[in-house]
Amino acid sequence: MAKAKTLILRAPGTNCDRETAFAFAQAGSQVDAAHVNELLRREKLLSDYQIMVIPGGFTYGDDISAGKILANELRLKLGEEIRRFVADGRLILGICNGFQVLVKAGILPELSPPLTLAGNDSGRFECRWVYLRVNETSPCIFTRGISTMYLPVAHGEGKVAVAEPGILNVALYYADETGNIQAGYPYNPNGSIDNIAGICDASGHIFALMPHPERFVRWSQHPRWTREPWKEYGDGFRIFLNAVAWAKSI
Amino acid sequence: MFWIEVSVKAGFPDPRGEALQKDIHDLGITTVKQARVSDIYLLEGTLAEAEVGRICQELLADPVVEEYSYREAPPSQDEHAHVIEVAYNPGVMDPVEESVRKGIRDLGIATVDSVRTAKRYFLWGELSAEALQTICDKLLVNSVIQHMVTKREVVSLPSATYNFSLETIDLLPMEDAGLMELSKNRLWLNLSEMKQIQGYFSRLGRNPTDVELETLAQTWSEHCVHKTFKGKIKLGQLTIDNLLKSTIMRVTEELEKPWCLSVFRDNAGVIDFDGRYAICFKVETHNHPSAVEPYGGAATGIGGVIRDPLGTGLGSKPVLNTDVFCFGPPDFPYERLPQGVLHPRRIFKGVRAGVADYANRLGIPTLNGAILFDERYVGNPLVFCGTVGLLPKSMSQRGQQQPGDLVVLVGGNTGRDGIHGVTFASGELTKDSEVISSTSVQIGNPIMEKKLIDVLLKARDQGLYRRITDCGGGGLSSAVGEMGEETGVRVYLEQVPLKYSGLSYTEIWLSESQERMVLAAPPGTVDQLIELFASEDVEATVIGEFTDNRRLQLFYEGNLVGDLDMEFLHHGLPQLEREAVWEPPQHAEPDFPEPPDLREELLRILGSWNVCSKEWVIRQYDHEVQGGNVLKPLVGVNNDGPGDAAIIKPIPDSYMGIIVSNGINPKYGDIDPYWMAASAIDEALRQVVAVGGSLRRVALLDNFCWGNPEKPDRLGGLVRAAQACYDMALAYETPFISGKDSLYNEYETEKESICIPPTLLISAVAVMEHVERAVSMDCKQEGDLIYIIGTTYNELGGSHYYGTHGYVGNNVPRVDPKKGKRLMDALSAATAKSLVRACHDLSEGGLGIAAAEMAFAGGLGMVIHLAKVPLGEPINRDDFVLFSESNTRFLVEVAPEDKQRFEKFEKMAGVDFTAIGEVRNDKRLEVYGLSGEQVLSAPLAELKEAWQKPLRW
């Protein structure tokens, strides 16, 4: 079987790179973390990898708006490499700040309507666990075989907002315990339109979400593991297994 | 110049505007119908209009939710709204400016010279000039760092030039009065210290330069050298020579724990974690800056303490933060606020935001903390920040440079930030503090620190330097001065990279600009080091070299501007001699009758500022980042119960854990600081044991925040607290590994000096063998037994119960550490056998609060019988049994089938324990009194609401 190689892209202010790398390694991938400068200087090449991940953090301080500066850097300086990477059918995952970067770099959504991640309706940074429901009709590679998840969010700018109504490739919704995807705050922690928690492209190869799957790969990361039956691994781990399995098949 | 405004498009919510409207409402101004906030960017450079358009469209404004406008001059006033524009004072650098410059360069536009940011506030509604002024003063402008824009802003600072001239001070002929005049408000040294310096220079036969004098003052400051703790203190018949060595450091020496790897000698204390890794821990305060500018003060506080573990051994990775704050009550009346003091609510919000914004950006989970309130903190808030670091055990010792090694300054550039911060922290605050200290505060740049940490740990692993220290209070003077002590060092001050021109050599040397570290690198690896830093966009600059002449020599453009003997600098300080007195205060004994309804009493304590839920704060910290946590700050069936201590699993492929807890209760200090300190230690250890840890490997940190130690009564209390630290730590076998003190926490008004309550924070760090033994405090299962472990005494002095009735009392909770250790060891043994389903320690509010919290966190229900509670002395009141705050007590939930096995452990230890109730599923708390009658019955929803409501902001 082919090997899967994952690139974790770091930039000043990235802060979830290590746990994301750990999740991919546990899922059976070879993992490299690279500073964006190493890609710009061509010391590392995107084309050597099957999966590219933009992990969580506050790249460049989230100054101006979350993810904006890294998004421009990717769009203006690495646009061609990324287009080729996508055209080759490889996988891109953006988590939290990575979602913000992918959107602001114009990589997602690939068709209109224009979308952004705006400040949470509460006006506050929110660190809390959310129930998620997977859109099972979505082509998303990462969420295959998953119907619900329980994961933490931690962000101040996670509200999906659109300029005009249109059709989006929604992969993941905020829900309540029963799976109702119309539940309001705090189930929907940021006021996202239509309770959108994650989107993908039409091929299902590019996936971006606000919740942090890498923060729930072992069961004792669950906020109530001391009072619930033990499980082998956390809900987020499936996402990494799916990605690595697909990458090995390329 | 281009003036660009970015605002939220109509039709989209403006959360910042809504938050502002709410804050205005909280001020009592109810006429503002709407508020909006927009961002202003001022760009200077040669720019074509098309380029400005592109900058707006592609960088500054979000295409979906924001709109922009630009013009060559600011617009005139809007007729429909009150408009206030607020900008930073010259010299105060907003880190956003640097990001904007980078963003513009990435667009391929290279002609922008400078960028400034500002905010514009729009308020709609009837507002008097006076109300508008109040809003500006109380919410929008902090004059220490900001101003209202009334005329055209200067975007780029005039490039000042500094013309070198050597400043000397005519010290030799000075009389006593002259020496003290020189010291006042600048050096903060006493007469004997000033004379010592005068003597040194007269032996040299020359006057000192300004930089020499400032270096001495800074090295000898209370903040850096802890001269009160190291001084000679007379208390009655007793003379204590060096309080620190004879109490806190002594206990560590006597306990001789082999797992203590580095104590009291580095920037943080270090203990062995698992033989492969070591952990280090440091807690510090940043009180004075936070009082003056809460956001910046607290942000640089957390930024500073993170650099301590980073600068410990050969450098450690920060893995956990803990924060403890003490503020005035949020409902403190504005009219009683002393002049020059910010309102507690504003300090609270600013400090919270400062800590969260900095720690969240650095990706360090804030997992544990406490917030306390007392009117005496109004003028002097306390902000404790702590960080745990993880490092390879082989790198846990402080490094040692060799002569010829280079002094390398890494990280941010140097500005006028914080000059005199250290000496300022060694004096009392007055209403003029805002003015004096305006250069003492800066805005932190967390991303600079994050970049620094990332690349520094790489350099460490490649072995590119021999020694590291942080650049904090006292700047280069402190960092390089201390590093060079054993060898000697020469520094070329013109080599230091500056934020802006015009700094004198003295300003460069003393600047406390954040996000800097100092390394000692061998000449052979220095190029590699600089190259590595450059690869991640962090500056590394050689600014000097270590010598072998044991002198501190400072040069500026070839001129020798300072030349001090290291021996005198570090050991010339005369030992301080101070008088202390201790007389136990007598408080009125409460004489109120037993209330008929204890439900009301319980609700009142649950809803008190100290006890109430801090969820509003906790959720704004990222406590999940790094993915290591095992017990979170909020636990229970709805993730909202108050956990006792945090646990992390710092190494992904190991099951060993780190527990961090804090003990603090200044209310007891009003009766006796000895028992306050004992209680704080007991509390920190209780929390470690409550979550499933043990006393086997626990290290403590002390942080003393006290009033003016020159006042004998304040000092007397300090001595008693330190003595308790020795007694307790010895008996519990938990050594101190590091600590800090912040004295002079008094606020001078025209009438009086308001002293903070003597406050000792004890922080504990414990190594846990297997994190899956962790126990949370929420009730788990209907039918389980509820045990109380430990003995209840009539100890309500300083309790929350007395407090809600307006009394302090005198019977302060005591600690019997020998018994306490037996008890905690027995409970740990039971936990290790998985016999404990839930455990909560009894602290503020005693049994009543602990039972209520366990019940509502678990969403079940509980019944308890006070008549079964083991008492250490006769108590004939239900309220006293329910709310006594006796130490070393726990409530434990045990499954009925484990009853025998659990009790065996407690019996062997010979400690008091009794099953006093059980878990039910009726979602009520019921308490039966000494006579067997019901004295309290309340639905959990009511209790929880009372507990959550106060800080639901």
Side-chain angles (χ1 to χ4, degrees):
Chain A
M1 196 163 51
K3 268 189 184 166
K5 278 183 80 182
T6 302
L7 178 86
I8 311 279
L9 184 67
R10 281 171 58 221
T14 299
N15 66 26
C16 303
D17 45 320
R18 281 165 192 257
E19 51 271 41
T20 307
F22 178 72
F24 272 101
Q26 287 292 100
S29 177
Q30 223 178 299
V31 186
D32 270 348
H35 195 284
V36 64
N37 287 352
E38 293 175 85
L39 290 182
L40 295 177
R41 289 192 299 259
R42 306 292 186 267
E43 291 165 10
K44 287 201 170 125
L45 298 174
L46 260 188
S47 55
D48 289 340
Y49 301 87
Q50 286 83 43
I51 306 172
M52 175 177 92
V53 189
I54 307 177
F58 292 79
T59 46
Y60 298 100
D62 278 359
D63 294 339
I64 303 172
S65 84
K68 186 76 178 192
I69 294 178
L70 180 60
N72 272 354
E73 207 167 19
L74 297 185
R75 178 172 66 91
L76 297 163
K77 298 183 176 173
L78 286 167
E80 192 41 45
E81 281 92 330
I82 294 173
R83 264 188 294 282
R84 220 174 307 131
F85 191 82
V86 173
D88 287 349
R90 304 183 193 206
L91 302 182
I92 298 181
L93 174 63
I95 303 169
C96 194
N97 197 231
F99 189 171
Q100 295 157 342
V101 170
L102 288 177
V103 162
K104 291 174 187 181
I107 298 169
L108 270 182
E110 82 276 47
L111 298 167
S112 331
L115 175 154
T116 197
L117 290 145
N120 296 349
D121 275 354
S122 67
R124 292 192 297 268
F125 182 94
E126 301 255 356
C127 181
R128 60 170 72 247
W129 284 67
V130 292
Y131 295 92
L132 298 159
R133 210 170 106 188
V134 171
N135 174 8
E136 287 170 48
T137 64
S138 151
C140 184
I141 302 296
F142 297 82
T143 54
R144 279 186 175 181
I146 308 174
S147 56
T148 61
M149 287 187 288
Y150 189 49
L151 295 177
V153 293
H155 60 249
E157 297 176 41
K159 175 187 173 171
V160 174
V162 288
E164 65 222 47
I167 295 167
L168 283 166
N169 275 310
V170 179
L172 205 57
Y173 295 99
Y174 297 111
D176 64 13
E177 301 89 333
T178 66
N180 167 22
I181 58 168
Q182 257 107 50
Y185 180 84
Y187 293 105
N188 173 346
N190 47 39
S192 266
I193 181 171
D194 297 338
N195 274 30
I196 297 171
I199 58 173
C200 65
D201 70 334
S203 71
H205 294 175
I206 311 176
F207 177 44
L209 73 169
M210 286 313 294
H212 286 273
E214 81 284 9
R215 295 184 184 182
F216 189 31
V217 296
R218 96 182 120 79
W219 184 246
S220 63
Q221 287 166 321
H222 190 290
R224 297 186 299 275
W225 70 271
T226 57
R227 56 184 300 131
E228 293 195 2
W230 188 259
K231 287 189 186 161
E232 200 55 47
Y233 47 75
D235 292 2
F237 193 47
R238 295 279 295 277
I239 293 205
F240 303 100
L241 289 174
N242 280 340
V244 174
W246 175 269
K248 283 182 177 171
S249 75
I250 298 176
Chain B
M1 182 194 75
F2 282 91
W3 185 94
I4 299 167
E5 177 168 25
V6 178
S7 46
V8 178
K9 269 186 200 163
F12 287 96
D14 176 7
R16 288 187 303 181
E18 286 161 25
L20 173 61
Q21 194 184 352
K22 192 163 174 287
D23 284 344
I24 293 172
H25 200 271
D26 287 345
L27 283 177
I29 298 169
T30 52
T31 51
V32 173
K33 293 189 179 62
Q34 199 196 346
R36 287 181 89 87
V37 185
S38 59
D39 292 299
I40 307 299
Y41 302 91
L42 296 102
L43 309 186
E44 207 164 71
T46 353
L47 279 171
E49 198 162 325
E51 288 175 316
V52 181
R54 211 175 141 225
I55 291 170
C56 292
Q57 210 169 352
E58 294 188 31
L59 181 68
L60 298 179
D62 186 278
V64 178
V65 297
E66 288 177 334
E67 57 194 7
Y68 63 86
S69 64
Y70 59 85
R71 54 190 81 209
E72 298 203 11
S76 50
Q77 282 290 348
D78 189 306
E79 284 165 25
H80 306 288
H82 303 277
V83 184
I84 303 133
E85 188 173 331
V86 178
Y88 290 110
N89 296 340
V92 178
M93 312 278 261
D94 179 0
V96 175
E97 295 162 8
E98 200 182 309
S99 297
V100 173
R101 274 202 301 274
K102 178 193 160 43
I104 293 173
R105 279 198 308 273
D106 286 350
L107 291 176
I109 300 168
T111 49
V112 170
D113 304 324
S114 32
V115 177
R116 293 291 278 170
T117 61
K119 292 255 184 310
R120 228 165 161 232
Y121 302 95
F122 296 78
L123 306 176
W124 286 271
E126 286 294 315
L127 278 176
S128 65
E130 192 193 356
L132 199 59
Q133 192 61 47
T134 307
I135 293 168
C136 291
D137 293 347
K138 300 266 186 284
L139 294 174
L140 304 182
V141 185
N142 185 341
S143 57
V144 172
I145 53 163
Q146 295 161 316
H147 61 275
M148 266 170 66
V149 177
T150 50
K151 55 181 193 298
R152 205 182 160 108
E153 277 290 288
V154 179
V155 178
S156 54
L157 290 170
S159 59
T161 37
Y162 168 69
N163 295 315
F164 172 75
S165 85
L166 186 65
E167 299 279 326
T168 55
I169 285 126
D170 197 12
L171 188 76
L172 297 189
M174 277 186 189
E175 304 282 338
D176 290 2
L179 289 173
M180 284 319 287
E181 188 55 38
L182 177 64
S183 173
K184 197 182 155 194
N185 285 340
R186 176 169 175 193
L187 305 176
W188 308 91
L189 296 172
N190 69 25
L191 184 61
S192 96
E193 293 158 351
M194 289 300 290
K195 284 187 142 162
Q196 191 84 358
I197 293 172
Q198 194 181 34
Y200 173 76
F201 285 100
S202 58
R203 283 193 297 282
L204 296 178
R206 68 169 174 95
N207 273 313
T209 66
D210 58 341
V211 75
E212 288 173 331
L213 208 49
E214 297 274 8
T215 302
L216 283 161
Q218 192 272 120
T219 310
W220 291 5
S221 69
E222 184 66 63
H223 182 91
C224 290
V225 75
H226 311 287
K227 50 199 178 190
T228 298
F229 267 93
K230 291 177 180 168
K232 212 173 249 172
I233 301 172
K234 282 189 74 171
L235 175 65
Q237 300 301 313
L238 191 68
T239 301
I240 301 155
D241 185 359
N242 196 324
L243 185 59
L244 192 62
K245 272 196 180 153
S246 58
T247 57
I248 288 160
M249 288 168 75
R250 181 171 149 212
V251 69
T252 305
E253 248 167 58
E254 289 179 6
L255 287 172
E256 268 192 312
K257 296 288 184 190
W259 43 266
C260 283
L261 301 178
S262 171
V263 294
F264 299 106
R265 65 187 301 261
D266 206 338
N267 289 315
V270 190
I271 65 170
D272 195 351
F273 180 59
D274 62 357
R276 206 158 46 111
Y277 286 95
I279 48 181
C280 62
F281 191 18
K282 180 63 170 276
V283 179
E284 279 198 334
T285 56
H286 221 225
N287 304 334
H288 292 71
S290 305
V292 180
E293 208 291 275
Y295 182 86
T300 50
I302 188 75
V305 81
I306 289 166
R307 289 192 302 277
D308 277 322
L310 191 62
T312 295
L314 290 178
S316 73
K317 175 182 179 255
V319 293
L320 181 155
N321 283 339
T322 173
D323 306 299
V324 175
F325 308 141
C326 301
F327 300 127
D331 52 359
F332 192 78
Y334 277 93
E335 55 279 11
R336 283 180 50 207
L337 213 55
Q339 205 192 335
V341 167
L342 301 176
H343 191 269
R345 188 183 276 258
R346 184 173 185 190
I347 294 180
F348 183 177
K349 287 192 168 183
V351 165
R352 186 218 58 74
V355 168
D357 283 357
Y358 207 101
N360 288 353
R361 278 176 169 70
L362 259 58
I364 304 167
T366 301
L367 268 171
N368 178 265
I371 308 176
L372 296 94
F373 301 90
D374 188 295
E375 290 203 353
R376 288 167 289 173
Y377 295 122
V378 164
N380 265 289
L382 304 182
V383 174
F384 301 90
C385 296
T387 302
V388 177
L390 181 77
L391 73 168
K393 190 182 170 187
S394 60
M395 297 182 179
S396 61
Q397 298 303 315
R398 195 180 76 187
Q400 183 58 55
Q401 73 278 10
Q402 290 173 11
D405 283 357
L406 300 166
V407 183
V408 186
L409 177 63
V410 298
N413 289 350
T414 300
R416 283 201 179 85
D417 312 297
I419 289 179
H420 282 147
V422 163
T423 37
F424 163 57
S426 304
E428 289 183 14
L429 284 181
T430 69
K431 73 172 166 51
D432 299 325
S433 300
E434 268 191 50
V435 185
I436 296 175
S437 57
S438 58
T439 54
S440 291
V441 180
Q442 63 175 313
I443 304 179
N445 184 349
I447 295 312
M448 174 53 79
E449 185 138 317
K450 175 66 174 144
K451 288 197 287 189
L452 181 55
I453 295 171
D454 289 350
V455 72
L456 209 118
L457 294 177
K458 275 191 175 178
R460 177 197 74 181
D461 293 341
Q462 294 177 23
L464 299 181
Y465 56 85
R466 267 202 263 261
R467 185 170 172 185
I468 181 171
T469 198
D470 69 308
C471 215
L476 289 173
S477 167
S478 181
V480 179
E482 270 174 39
M483 241 178 160
E485 183 184 342
E486 292 98 345
T487 51
V489 66
R490 297 158 72 95
V491 181
Y492 308 101
L493 292 167
E494 76 284 351
Q495 298 295 323
V496 173
L498 301 180
K499 287 185 183 176
Y500 36 80
S501 59
L503 270 71
S504 74
Y505 60 88
T506 306
E507 288 174 319
I508 294 169
W509 181 239
L510 296 177
S511 161
E512 294 185 356
S513 287
Q514 300 284 311
E515 293 101 19
R516 300 180 302 164
M517 304 285 289
V518 178
L519 308 176
T525 57
V526 78
D527 290 340
Q528 212 183 327
L529 180 79
I530 291 170
E531 200 179 309
L532 175 65
F533 273 72
S535 76
E536 301 208 353
D537 302 329
V538 182
E539 266 188 87
T541 313
V542 174
I543 61 162
E545 75 239 347
F546 293 97
T547 60
D548 58 3
N549 62 6
R550 296 212 65 215
R551 301 194 73 76
L552 173 67
Q553 292 171 306
L554 306 178
F555 294 86
Y556 186 82
E557 292 175 348
N559 304 288
L560 183 66
V561 296
D563 187 3
L564 291 168
D565 179 8
M566 287 289 187
E567 184 61 29
F568 180 70
L569 178 61
H570 291 289
H571 304 285
L573 172 70
Q575 194 182 25
L576 216 58
E577 292 193 19
R578 282 199 173 138
E579 298 279 331
V581 293
W582 171 249
E583 276 179 37
Q586 282 301 314
H587 300 280
E589 277 300 334
D591 60 355
F592 61 90
E594 183 167 353
D597 185 3
L598 295 185
R599 183 174 134 271
E600 282 299 321
E601 303 297 322
L602 181 66
L603 289 170
R604 202 173 318 144
I605 301 174
L606 281 170
S608 65
W609 289 119
N610 281 358
V611 172
C612 74
S613 170
K614 307 300 185 293
E615 184 171 350
W616 177 82
V617 176
I618 296 166
R619 293 230 176 274
Q620 296 186 67
Y621 294 137
D622 189 347
H623 46 265
E624 300 281 353
V625 66
Q626 296 193 11
N629 74 40
V630 174
L631 271 196
K632 304 175 200 295
L634 296 164
V635 298
V637 68
N638 288 317
N639 305 343
D640 58 5
D644 282 319
I647 306 178
I648 58 163
K649 187 172 109 43
I651 302 166
D653 57 2
S654 153
Y655 277 90
M656 285 182 68
I658 302 173
I659 308 175
V660 168
S661 69
N662 287 295
I664 182 169
N665 198 328
K667 287 179 188 294
Y668 303 155
D670 286 334
I671 302 172
D672 188 341
Y674 183 93
W675 294 113
M676 170 184 77
S679 298
I681 292 173
D682 196 74
E683 183 184 14
L685 298 178
R686 284 196 310 265
Q687 292 176 3
V688 166
V689 170
V691 296
S694 76
L695 298 183
R696 262 198 300 278
R697 190 174 293 184
V698 185
L700 302 178
L701 305 185
D702 61 275
N703 260 275
F704 289 86
C705 285
W706 235 257
N708 184 347
E710 293 159 33
K711 299 177 182 171
D713 60 324
R714 321 282 205 242
L715 190 56
L718 188 69
V719 171
R720 280 191 64 75
Q723 285 169 333
C725 287
Y726 172 79
D727 294 344
M728 297 299 137
L730 188 68
Y732 275 122
E733 297 182 40
T734 50
F736 283 90
I737 55 168
S738 180
K740 200 86 186 176
D741 56 271
S742 163
L743 309 178
Y744 297 93
N745 288 290
E746 306 210 8
Y747 190 85
E748 295 283 352
T749 67
E750 272 145 34
K751 283 179 292 188
E752 56 185 334
S753 181
I754 304 166
C755 181
I756 60 159
T759 306
L760 171 64
L761 171 68
I762 295 289
S763 308
V765 60
V767 175
M768 187 174 194
E769 289 298 322
H770 198 299
V771 293
E772 285 168 10
R773 297 274 145 72
V775 176
S776 61
M777 53 71 70
D778 45 307
C779 279
K780 306 287 190 311
Q781 178 73 46
E782 178 192 359
D784 279 358
L785 303 170
I786 296 292
Y787 283 84
I788 187 167
I789 317 286
T791 313
T792 302
Y793 296 87
N794 184 356
E795 290 180 321
L796 288 104
S799 68
H800 276 66
Y801 183 60
Y802 274 8
T804 57
H805 285 269
Y807 289 94
V808 176
N810 300 292
N811 46 350
V812 67
R814 295 173 179 240
V815 180
D816 178 344
K818 286 212 175 69
K819 214 169 110 186
K821 183 164 190 310
R822 277 206 317 274
L823 188 154
M824 291 191 203
D825 285 346
L827 185 53
S828 295
T831 308
K833 296 278 179 207
S834 303
L835 299 172
V836 172
R837 277 235 172 103
C839 182
H840 197 20
D841 86 303
L842 271 56
S843 55
E844 289 103 333
L847 171 58
I849 294 297
E853 288 176 344
M854 279 179 88
F856 65 62
L860 289 159
M862 193 190 285
V863 56
I864 56 172
H865 301 272
L866 299 183
K868 294 183 180 171
V869 173
L871 302 178
E873 60 190 317
I875 309 177
N876 55 17
R877 283 176 63 153
D878 293 318
D879 54 346
F880 286 6
V881 177
L882 191 60
F883 298 122
S884 164
E885 295 186 5
S886 289
N887 282 300
T888 334
R889 295 183 303 156
F890 299 85
L891 270 190
V892 178
E893 177 184 346
V894 177
E897 61 269 25
D898 292 329
K899 184 173 188 290
Q900 312 294 333
R901 289 173 67 208
F902 175 76
E903 291 188 359
K904 202 178 81 189
F905 282 100
E906 309 305 317
K907 272 185 196 138
M908 280 188 330
V911 296
D912 283 334
F913 70 95
T914 314
I916 59 165
E918 63 175 31
V919 180
R920 291 188 174 175
N921 79 343
D922 59 357
K923 296 187 189 294
R924 295 187 74 79
L925 175 67
E926 287 183 11
V927 179
Y928 292 85
L930 296 167
S931 65
E933 311 229 318
Q934 192 180 72
V935 293
L936 187 158
S937 172
L940 296 184
E942 184 185 27
L943 299 174
K944 192 165 170 180
E945 176 60 19
W947 179 71
Q948 289 186 327
K949 194 165 172 259
L951 279 179
R952 196 185 279 141
W953 284 357

